[in-house]
Amino acid sequence: MPSILGTRVKRVEDPRFLTVGGTYVDDLRDPRLDGALWLTFVRSSVAHARLASIDTSSAAAAPGVVAIYTFADLSVEPQLSMPAFNEAMKRPALADGVVRFVGEPIVAILTEQRSQGEDAAEFVVVDYDPLPVVVDPVEAAADEVLLFPEAGTNTAYGRVREPDPTLFEGCDAVVHMTLYNRRLAVAPLEVKGCAAVPAEDGRMVVWLSSQGAHTAVASLQAALGTEDLHIITPDVGGGFGAKNGASAEDIVVCRVAQLQGRAIRWAETRTENVLTMQGRGQVQTVTMGGTRDGRILAYRVDILGDAGAYPMIGAFLPMATRMMAPGVYDMPKVEVIARSVVTNTAPQMAYRGAGRPEATAAVERTIERFAAEIGMDAAEVRRRNLVPKFVEPHKTPVGTTYDIGDYPAALELVLEAAGYDALRKEQASRRAAGDRLQLGIGIATYVEITAFGGSEYARIEVKDDGSAVVYTGTSPHGQGHHTSFAMIASERTGIPIERINLVWGDTDLVPTGGGTGGSRSLQLGGSAVLQTTDLLVEEARQRAAQQLEANPEDLVLDTEAGRFHVAGSPTAGRTWAEVAGNDGLAVASDFTQPSGTFPFGAHVAVVEVDTETGQVELTRFIAVDDAGTMINPLIVEGQRHGGIAQGAAQALCEEFIYDADGNPLTSNLADFTFISTCELPSFELVPMETPTPMNPLGAKGIGEAGTIGATPAVQNAVVDAVAHLGVRHIDIPCTPERVWTAIQEASK
Amino acid sequence: MAEFPVSVTVNGQARRGTVEARKTLADWLRDDCNLTGTHLGCEHGVCGACTVIMDGVAVRSCLVFAVQADGSEVTTIEGLAAEDGTLHPVQDAFQKCHGLQCGFCTPGFIVSVASFLEEHPNPDDTEIREGLSGNICRCTGYQGILQAVKMAAETMQSA
């Protein structure tokens, strides 16, 4: 029988999403939530101020108001999200005397009904005593306006280091640029939400819109002073890295439920979501030097991360950028300086790629600038500097060890699929004719890191009807784990995938888990399922042997029929149902991967730029993404599609903007230019599979790859389209205004 | 606050209730009818997740007051599959073409597409892209969705 692995199985989890829309936190109609009170936050309307007074007396008298909470009422200690950050930069769940960004929660109002909370919030009077505001991370790095005066600095993580003055000695050509990797609204379609119920046995049941029930446990335990939590993540409508663990608001919801002894619900509005859930945000000062025949000798990137008002995971991500700074290139000298500073903007979360897109954007934009400087084709400069194919681990100058790679093959594959030479001819003819619509071709090659090592749990239980349940510590929110994990379990047991259920996101049913993020789930969670399946088959073989009074070594598992029998004698046998019996059969194990895996690929973007208006149209996008073994190509392609769209969006239109006073200018989906179907072509995907030796599946992560390659590919294409006019660089997003301005300035 | 009676046929079933004038159709469907498949992604008419069909026209139920729907016929995501559970051709095509990932925007897309294909039974690529421009999706890059619309159009044409 041909293996089910590697085939385009349609997702088994789809029907309930298609027919009743699944069940997200706000959709829960669980009887435990009957009569739940509703929580509404009053948020700061200014970027930096002392709270002179908070008058809640009128609000308290509004219809339906049960209670009103400020920081002092909660008795929840401010938390430092990671131990590595500056200790003076702890975040209180509600503002403690000072607000540091627009959208910071100040007051929580508890009402009988949801609409009453919105009404009562209007009656809260906050008297702000304004403080100087710093929005630009470069200004923040000067430490003139301090967000935390007791810290004495705005640096949240990392340190300033003097660059090596000899780094570019011996280089004939050196290019230098400042790159802005802009802030984005993460904007999953489902906003955050939480419901909490203190149960009669003293436990707290919490439903979260989160990428991992288990990763939320520690912060909720610390805030609530109890370990007795039952955390459930129901269906989650996208996360993209920014729904990791529990948020400040989730903590308030749970604490209020604890104080009230009643069920509490909360869901944010879209504006609350985009004001609090942002990612990226780096200023990169890059320098690259080499010879005029195209050999790169040295590269420096000085990363200044914009952490926002309180250091969260986003403040750490310049270190992920540092790890992947050299990308796919064999550069003898690489220097990375990385730190992050606090500013009066939303605290930065992880966003699809989380530090790696920023690394690729920097090196891929810079190498094209270097190619322009020496007058060489950008593809050719890459060819001359790629790390050659390797099957033994490759250590880079920044100390990162890549598992396996063939970057030259990925580049040649994408260039061929794109018809690179023909595109260059077409471009030359349009340039010669002086066409209004000019063609741009942009390349990006990349390598990234996924999973970062670690372990994951799986348990498989076979029931007396022969069906199976897989328990996982990963936490699907769109990635199709039910289908992929069922395929893995089915392949070696013969239990059909439609008879395999998946349980996840429940701390009572699954003892441990790392959730889903960093493209970890298939390689860690899937490998755990594979490993546990093998253990299950062995356990079942022993039991079947007892039942058949045979030697276990003589038994074979017919995976077509899902039945054990003595080799060569199929008449007497035991099905999975019979082996499981009334007691059932269950096996659990943890799979550990010692370090990360390094997916790679190459992308080509083709754009048409209207030289009179600056309007960009992305006309083609061709991608080679090698994430190792594909379990289900349909799902892998879906991950690539979504990633490419988000990466292209960052290059073309998306940017979260604050004015100089820290007022957000893009605080809803009408103002934030979320990419739509009209701005995107159909993507041309080219398969490539180089299995990693790091896990038994050979799988690397695919969740973030598209995003990583797409942004610089599209940006490079836009610059390329107008390079003949003298343009050397355009910042992202490449809006018509920026492109038009670049053309005008080049023609001066 | 004063309440007003409303009577709406939802997915073929008569529903009656009283609502505040300011209550949206989306909130009424979700809270009063317990039809939670209609999702709220922005509540300002951009994302399209809350799309339902009202008297034959696709509308954003976050921008329609429940009182405005009085006397109308409304179809939500819960009303598209056949009673025996057979998926609507649009639902079926979304599954076959991997037109959904996290699933949150999906009800709005499916309802929009079902309505769009009624008006454009044989759409070209440009018409499809424009027809879908009122719905946003963060997961799929719209690729599987576009394929699903084409597949559903073909299925419905040949039916």
Side-chain angles (χ1 to χ4, degrees), chain B residues 94-140:
Chain B
F94 266 65
Q95 183 179 20
K96 285 182 176 146
C97 299
H98 194 23
L100 66 153
Q101 290 184 25
C102 84
F104 193 84
C105 72
T106 309
F109 263 102
I110 293 205
V111 170
S112 291
V113 171
S115 170
F116 169 77
L117 290 177
E118 291 288 323
E119 290 170 33
H120 304 83
N122 191 17
D124 63 25
D125 272 18
T126 307
E127 285 173 322
I128 295 173
R129 284 180 191 282
E130 285 175 6
L132 294 183
S133 64
N135 292 74
I136 59 176
C137 170
R138 201 52 154 171
C139 297
T140 64

Side-chain angles (χ1 to χ4, degrees), chain A residues 620-644:
Chain A
R620 288 180 66 198
F621 197 96
I622 309 97
V624 172
D625 298 297
D626 189 327
T629 308
M630 288 187 272
I631 301 301
N632 185 332
L634 190 69
I635 290 174
V636 171
E637 286 166 16
Q639 291 296 309
R640 295 167 70 188
H641 288 152
I644 291 166

Side-chain angles (χ1 to χ4, degrees), chain A residues 278-291:
Chain A
Q278 299 176 22
R280 303 275 189 272
Q282 283 188 8
V283 180
Q284 303 164 330
T285 310
V286 292
T287 313
M288 185 179 279
T291 62

Side-chain angles (χ1 to χ4, degrees), chain A residues 19-42:
Chain A
T19 53
V20 296
T23 307
Y24 303 85
V25 168
D26 208 30
D27 300 337
L28 289 168
R29 295 296 180 267
D30 190 290
R32 287 169 288 185
L33 292 169
D34 285 351
L37 301 175
W38 189 265
L39 206 68
T40 303
F41 290 95
V42 176

Side-chain angles (χ1 to χ4, degrees), chain A residues 10-12 14-15 17-22 24 26-27 29 113 115-116 119 185-191 236-238 240 269-271 351-352 477-479 634-635 638-639 641-643 645-646 649 654 668-670 672 674-678 680-683, chain B residues 1 20 22 27 30-31 34 36-44 46-47 49 77-79 81 85 87 90-92 94-107 110 125 128-130 132-133 135-144 146-147 150:
Chain A
K10 66 181 183 179
R11 296 202 319 178
V12 294
D14 284 356
F17 292 109
L18 294 165
T19 53
V20 296
Y24 303 85
D26 208 30
D27 300 337
R29 295 296 180 267
Q113 291 170 28
S115 57
Q116 292 167 336
D119 291 339
V186 177
L189 260 287
E190 184 213 13
V191 295
V236 172
F240 308 105
T269 64
R270 176 54 67 185
T271 291
Y351 177 60
R352 202 169 195 164
H477 45 284
Q479 298 85 353
L634 190 69
I635 290 174
Q639 291 296 309
H641 288 152
Q646 279 173 285
E654 292 185 9
N668 58 50
L669 292 184
F672 182 79
F674 196 110
I675 201 154
S676 86
T677 185
C678 291
L680 293 168
S682 291
F683 306 148
Chain B
M1 212 167 273
E20 286 183 25
R22 64 179 182 171
D27 284 344
R30 291 176 54 80
D31 300 341
N34 272 324
T36 55
T38 298
H39 292 151
L40 292 165
C42 72
E43 295 186 83
H44 50 262
V46 178
C47 79
I77 186 68
E78 290 93 342
L87 298 179
V90 176
Q91 292 170 320
D92 184 55
F94 266 65
Q95 183 179 20
K96 285 182 176 146
C97 299
H98 194 23
L100 66 153
Q101 290 184 25
C102 84
F104 193 84
C105 72
T106 309
I110 293 205
D125 272 18
I128 295 173
R129 284 180 191 282
E130 285 175 6
L132 294 183
S133 64
N135 292 74
I136 59 176
C137 170
R138 201 52 154 171
C139 297
T140 64
Y142 308 102
Q143 305 288 310
L146 286 165
Q147 287 167 15
K150 287 182 204 169

Side-chain angles (χ1 to χ4, degrees), chain A residues 493-707:
Chain A
T493 59
I495 301 171
I497 59 165
E498 52 276 12
R499 302 208 68 210
I500 300 175
N501 207 350
L502 184 74
V503 169
W504 81 94
D506 186 314
T507 55
D508 272 14
L509 299 176
V510 180
T512 63
T516 286
S519 303
R520 70 188 294 280
S521 294
L522 180 64
Q523 55 190 306
L524 297 182
S527 294
V529 172
L530 181 72
Q531 175 182 287
T532 306
T533 303
D534 286 344
L535 294 170
L536 176 81
V537 169
E538 279 321 300
E539 179 75 23
R541 188 192 309 279
Q542 298 293 333
R543 206 188 273 193
Q546 276 183 354
Q547 293 172 349
L548 292 166
E549 297 181 350
N551 280 326
E553 305 84 64
D554 297 339
L555 287 193
V556 292
L557 170 60
D558 174 353
T559 54
E560 209 154 328
R563 184 169 172 274
F564 288 90
H565 63 79
V566 175
S569 163
T571 42
R574 285 289 182 275
T575 63
W576 278 105
E578 289 162 345
V579 172
N582 290 337
D583 298 338
L585 175 64
V587 172
S589 78
D590 291 285
F591 171 76
T592 301
Q593 186 172 285
S595 60
T597 56
F598 295 79
F600 60 89
H603 290 181
V604 169
V606 183
V607 300
E608 276 187 343
V609 172
D610 185 327
T611 51
E612 291 185 15
T613 66
Q615 176 71 36
V616 178
E617 188 186 349
L618 179 61
T619 56
R620 288 180 66 198
F621 197 96
I622 309 97
V624 172
D625 298 297
D626 189 327
T629 308
M630 288 187 272
I631 301 301
N632 185 332
L634 190 69
I635 290 174
V636 171
E637 286 166 16
Q639 291 296 309
R640 295 167 70 188
H641 288 152
I644 291 166
Q646 279 173 285
Q650 189 185 7
L652 291 174
C653 53
E654 292 185 9
E655 177 181 9
F656 197 93
I657 306 171
Y658 288 94
D659 72 10
D661 297 321
N663 297 306
L665 303 181
T666 48
S667 56
N668 58 50
L669 292 184
D671 294 333
F672 182 79
T673 44
F674 196 110
I675 201 154
S676 86
T677 185
C678 291
E679 286 89 37
L680 293 168
S682 291
F683 306 148
E684 301 162 50
L685 304 187
V686 183
M688 182 168 177
E689 287 184 87
T690 307
T692 178
M694 303 295 291
N695 62 63
L697 289 172
K700 301 176 274 191
I702 192 60
E704 297 157 289
T707 322

